[in-house]
Amino acid sequence: MTLPARLSGVLCPVVTPFKTDLSPDPDRLIRQSQWLLSQGVGLAVFGTTSEGNSLSVDEKIALLDRLAEAGIDLSRMMAGTGCCALSDTVRLTRHAVEVGCAGVLMLPPFYYKAVGDDGLFDSYAGVIDRVASDRLRIYLYHIPPVAQVGLSIDLVERLVRRYPDTVVGIKDSSGDWDNTLALLRRRWDDFRVFAGSEGFLLRTLQHGGAGCISATANVNGAAIRRLFLNWRDPQAVAEQEQLDALRRLFQAYPMIPALKAVIAAHTADGEWQTVRPPLVALRTEQKRSLLASLDERAFAMPGLPGRHCINP
Amino acid sequence: MTLPARLSGVLCPVVTPFKTDLSPDPDRLIRQSQWLLSQGVGLAVFGTTSEGNSLSVDEKIALLDRLAEAGIDLSRMMAGTGCCALSDTVRLTRHAVEVGCAGVLMLPPFYYKAVGDDGLFDSYAGVIDRVASDRLRIYLYHIPPVAQVGLSIDLVERLVRRYPDTVVGIKDSSGDWDNTLALLRRRWDDFRVFAGSEGFLLRTLQHGGAGCISATANVNGAAIRRLFLNWRDPQAVAEQEQLDALRRLFQAYPMIPALKAVIAAHTADGEWQTVRPPLVALRTEQKRSLLASLDERAFAMPGLPGRHCINP
C-alpha cells in the first residue's frame, strides 16, 4: 500500500445509524457514506456527531470492516479512534491503519480532567509508539466543550515536532476562532488545520487552513463543499452566510437527533431517527417544526438514497 | 447462587497496578485486594481511583476472572462498570454479575455533556433491561467533578421507583454535603448512600448512611473502618479529624499517583508507581516530601504484603 496522502476539503462526521434494538446498522452507514462521497464530501466516521463514543471498540472495528468490504474509498476517510483507555485507542487505531484509512481523528483520553500536557503527550506518544506504523496519520481532535480535556497549542507543537510524519493535522472544535487562528499561524510544515464546523470555513481557508469537518455536512455537504471550492470568488461571503443560516436552524435543536430526523424524513425511513442513550430522539413537535423550517427554505438533499419525502 | 446482600461499611476503589509496559498486573491486584479485605475493607474495583476508565472492557473482564479464581470474596466487592457505550456497560456488567460480584458501581455515560434526565434514565434502564438478572445490584456513581455528567436526585428517585430491587444505592462523590444529605433524607427503602470520601463519613453515618467508598482506603483503610465501627463513641469526632488530616496530606498531591507511590514505598516495589497516561507518576521530590510527611506522623500500613520499607 502507498503511504496515505494528507487530507483536505470538507469532511463529514457521519451519523451512525442504529436499528430499533440499538445495534449499529452497517448497511445504512454504507449508503450514507456512499452518498456523502458522491457529494464530494470526505468521511470522518466515529466522531462526536457519529455517537462514536457510544460505540464499543468491537462495534467500530466491525463497522470499519463492513465499510472496507463495501468498497468505500478509505483514502478519503478518517476514523475517530481516541478512547479513554490507551489499550482501546491502540487497538482501534491499529485496525484503522490496517484496513487502509487515510487517517485517524484522535481525542485525548477524556475521563480524567485537569490533566497536564505531559500526561496528554504521553497518551498520544503511547499510541503512536505502540501502533508503530509509517502509515499512521493522526489528526488531533480538540473539542473542549464536549471532551472537557483540550489540547494546548504548546502540546500540539510538541507532538508535531516529535512526530512530524504522523501528527499531521487537527480538528479545532473549540468554537474559539482565536485558537484556530493561532494554530493556523504556526504554519508547521504541511500541517492540516480543519475548522470544527463550516461556520469558520471561509476564514479558515483565507488563513491557509485545510477545510472543515462539520456535523451539518451530513445533510448539507454539497453546499459546504461548494464554498470550499469557490472561497476566492466574490460570492463566497454570501455562500458562507447561507451556510450559517442553515446551521443556526439546526442549532435550535439537539444537533445529532435533528440530523437523524432530517435524514429519516428525506429517506422516508423512520428507523434513521434512532439514537443511543444518553441521547434522545426529537419529539414529534420538534421534528415537525424543524422539517417545516427546512421546507420554507426549499432545502433538499440531492441524490439521497431512498424515497424523497420531506414530510414527517 | 443466593441473591447478593446490600453492601455497607468502608469500601476501597482499589488502585490498579500496572507493569512497566503498562499492562495490568493481576497478581499485585490480588495481593492488594487480599490485604484490604484483611483490614476489614470492602472492594470497589475499577473506580475513578482505580484508573478504571483507563482500562478496556477486555482488561477489566480478565482482571475480574483472576480475582474470582484467586478466591477473593466477591460478596464484599462491587465493580465499576459504567462506560460511555451502552454495549460496553452491558457486557461488563453482565460479566460482573456472572462471576458473582455483590454489586456494580455504575457511572452514567460521560462523553456527551448537558444530556437530560430522560437520556440518563434510558441509559441505566437500557443496561438493566439487557442484563436482565435478578442478581444485578447497581450502586449509582455520582461524581460530577470528574464525569461532568451528574445524577439529579429526581433521576435517582425515578430509577429507584422503577427498579427498587436493582438500583440499591449510590456513591456521592459530588463533594457537596447538601446533596448527600438530600439523598439521605429521601430514605428510600433500604437504599444505601455511601459518602464519596471518608471526609463525610461521620456525618453520613449520623444521618443513616451506609458508609464510604474512599480513595485513601487504599492506604488507610483500617483507621477509616475503625470510625465506621465506632461512630457512636465519644472519640468519633477526634477520629474523623485524624482521618481528615491524613487526607489533606494526600490532597497536596495528585491523589492516584500519590497512593501508588506510598504503596510502592511500603512494599519496596517500585513498579507499583506506574500509572497509565494521561496520569503521570509523582516526581522524585514530590514522593520524598509525601513520604517524609507520612514518616512524621508514624504512618503505617499494617500487614501489607511485601517488605516494609517506608523510605523511597
Side-chain angles (χ1 to χ4, degrees):
Chain A
M1 287 198 240
T2 56
L3 294 177
R6 297 186 185 206
L7 293 163
S8 65
V10 176
L11 279 80
C12 177
V14 192
V15 286
T16 303
F18 295 106
K19 299 177 189 171
T20 308
D21 68 0
L22 300 186
S23 63
D25 182 343
D27 294 320
R28 280 190 183 86
L29 181 64
I30 291 165
R31 288 201 298 273
Q32 178 75 0
S33 299
Q34 288 168 333
W35 177 72
L36 287 164
L37 290 170
S38 77
Q39 304 291 301
V41 172
L43 308 175
V45 296
F46 315 147
T48 299
T49 305
S50 317
E51 300 171 75
N53 286 302
S54 298
L55 297 164
S56 70
V57 170
D58 284 342
E59 288 169 333
K60 286 182 261 204
I61 284 177
L63 289 173
L64 279 181
D65 288 345
R66 287 294 306 274
L67 289 166
E69 286 161 24
I72 294 293
D73 183 357
L74 301 182
S75 76
R76 297 170 65 192
M77 182 167 112
M78 56 175 81
T81 63
C83 307
C84 290
L86 178 71
S87 39
D88 279 334
T89 305
V90 168
R91 184 168 160 239
L92 183 55
T93 301
R94 188 177 282 146
H95 196 82
V97 169
E98 283 169 1
V99 297
C101 294
V104 298
L105 181 62
M106 198 181 289
L107 282 169
F110 53 84
Y111 181 67
Y112 294 99
K113 306 305 187 294
V115 294
D117 279 2
D118 288 346
L120 294 175
F121 182 89
D122 290 349
S123 298
Y124 282 103
V127 176
I128 294 168
D129 295 344
R130 282 170 175 75
V131 173
S133 168
D134 64 353
R135 302 193 67 259
L136 174 59
R137 297 290 176 275
I138 294 178
Y139 298 83
L140 303 170
Y141 191 5
H142 177 55
I143 182 168
V146 183
Q148 303 281 328
V149 176
L151 308 176
S152 74
I153 291 175
D154 281 353
L155 170 64
V156 176
E157 176 144 36
R158 275 175 71 183
L159 287 165
V160 172
R161 296 215 181 285
R162 175 73 181 80
Y163 300 103
D165 299 323
T166 304
V167 178
V168 300
I170 191 166
K171 176 184 184 192
D172 183 0
S173 295
S174 63
D176 173 4
W177 170 247
D178 289 340
N179 192 69
T180 308
L181 189 59
L183 285 165
L184 288 161
R185 285 186 170 152
R186 294 296 176 112
R187 302 198 176 284
W188 298 303
D189 187 34
D190 204 20
F191 188 77
R192 304 294 168 107
V193 176
F194 289 90
S197 90
E198 76 280 20
F200 292 136
L201 178 56
L202 181 55
R203 278 188 271 180
T204 296
L205 296 171
Q206 287 167 338
H207 288 84
C212 72
I213 305 175
S214 177
T216 51
N218 272 289
V219 296
N220 199 33
I224 304 173
R225 165 83 174 164
R226 208 174 305 127
L227 175 56
F228 172 77
L229 295 174
N230 304 336
W231 69 271
R232 286 186 174 88
D233 293 355
Q235 77 273 23
V237 172
E239 284 190 20
Q240 178 71 64
E241 283 167 5
Q242 283 174 10
L243 297 181
D244 293 348
L246 192 88
R247 181 172 182 82
R248 276 195 299 275
L249 198 154
F250 274 90
Q251 284 176 323
Y253 304 87
M255 178 63 82
I256 300 166
L259 294 168
K260 287 187 156 180
V262 169
I263 297 171
H266 279 250
T267 57
D269 175 359
E271 206 167 22
W272 251 115
Q273 296 171 77
T274 312
V275 291
R276 270 196 175 174
L279 303 188
V280 175
L282 290 198
R283 297 187 308 273
T284 304
E285 63 274 22
Q286 289 178 305
K287 213 164 36 180
R288 195 172 293 140
S289 84
L290 170 60
L291 294 171
S293 60
L294 289 173
D295 265 349
E296 277 173 29
R297 294 177 165 272
F299 172 79
M301 295 173 67
L304 191 70
R307 267 188 313 128
H308 179 88
C309 167
I310 189 83
N311 295 313
Chain B
M1 286 198 242
T2 56
L3 293 177
R6 299 186 183 205
L7 292 163
S8 64
V10 176
L11 278 79
C12 177
V14 192
V15 285
T16 303
F18 295 106
K19 299 176 190 172
T20 308
D21 68 0
L22 301 185
S23 63
D25 182 344
D27 294 321
R28 279 191 184 85
L29 181 64
I30 290 165
R31 288 201 298 274
Q32 178 74 0
S33 299
Q34 287 167 333
W35 176 71
L36 287 164
L37 291 170
S38 77
Q39 305 291 301
V41 172
L43 308 175
V45 296
F46 315 148
T48 298
T49 305
S50 319
E51 299 171 74
N53 285 303
S54 298
L55 297 165
S56 71
V57 171
D58 285 342
E59 289 169 334
K60 286 182 264 203
I61 284 177
L63 288 173
L64 279 181
D65 287 345
R66 287 294 306 274
L67 289 166
E69 286 161 25
I72 293 293
D73 183 358
L74 302 181
S75 76
R76 297 172 65 193
M77 183 166 111
M78 55 174 81
T81 63
C83 307
C84 290
L86 179 70
S87 38
D88 279 333
T89 306
V90 168
R91 184 169 160 240
L92 183 55
T93 301
R94 188 176 283 145
H95 196 80
V97 169
E98 283 169 1
V99 298
C101 293
V104 298
L105 181 61
M106 199 181 288
L107 282 169
F110 53 84
Y111 182 67
Y112 294 100
K113 306 304 187 295
V115 295
D117 278 3
D118 288 346
L120 294 175
F121 182 90
D122 290 348
S123 297
Y124 282 103
V127 176
I128 295 167
D129 295 345
R130 282 169 176 75
V131 173
S133 168
D134 64 353
R135 302 194 67 258
L136 174 60
R137 297 290 176 274
I138 294 178
Y139 298 82
L140 304 170
Y141 191 4
H142 177 54
I143 182 168
V146 182
Q148 304 281 328
V149 176
L151 308 176
S152 73
I153 291 175
D154 281 353
L155 171 62
V156 176
E157 177 143 37
R158 275 175 71 184
L159 287 166
V160 173
R161 295 212 180 288
R162 175 74 181 77
Y163 301 103
D165 298 322
T166 303
V167 178
V168 299
I170 191 166
K171 177 185 183 191
D172 183 357
S173 295
S174 64
D176 173 4
W177 171 247
D178 289 342
N179 192 70
T180 308
L181 189 60
L183 285 165
L184 287 161
R185 284 186 171 152
R186 294 297 175 110
R187 303 199 174 281
W188 298 303
D189 187 32
D190 204 19
F191 188 77
R192 303 292 168 108
V193 176
F194 288 89
S197 90
E198 77 279 20
F200 292 137
L201 179 56
L202 181 55
R203 278 187 272 181
T204 296
L205 296 171
Q206 287 168 338
H207 288 84
C212 71
I213 305 176
S214 176
T216 50
N218 274 288
V219 295
N220 199 32
I224 304 173
R225 165 82 174 165
R226 207 173 306 127
L227 175 56
F228 173 76
L229 294 174
N230 303 336
W231 69 271
R232 286 187 174 87
D233 294 354
Q235 77 272 25
V237 172
E239 285 190 19
Q240 178 72 64
E241 283 167 5
Q242 282 173 10
L243 296 181
D244 293 348
L246 193 87
R247 182 174 181 82
R248 276 195 300 275
L249 198 154
F250 274 90
Q251 283 176 323
Y253 305 87
M255 178 64 83
I256 300 166
L259 293 168
K260 286 187 156 181
V262 169
I263 296 171
H266 280 251
T267 56
D269 175 358
E271 207 167 22
W272 251 115
Q273 296 171 77
T274 313
V275 292
R276 270 196 176 174
L279 303 189
V280 175
L282 290 199
R283 296 188 307 274
T284 304
E285 64 273 22
Q286 289 178 306
K287 214 166 32 181
R288 196 171 294 142
S289 84
L290 170 60
L291 294 171
S293 60
L294 290 173
D295 265 349
E296 277 172 32
R297 295 177 165 272
F299 172 79
M301 295 173 68
L304 192 70
R307 267 188 313 129
H308 178 86
C309 167
I310 188 81
N311 296 312

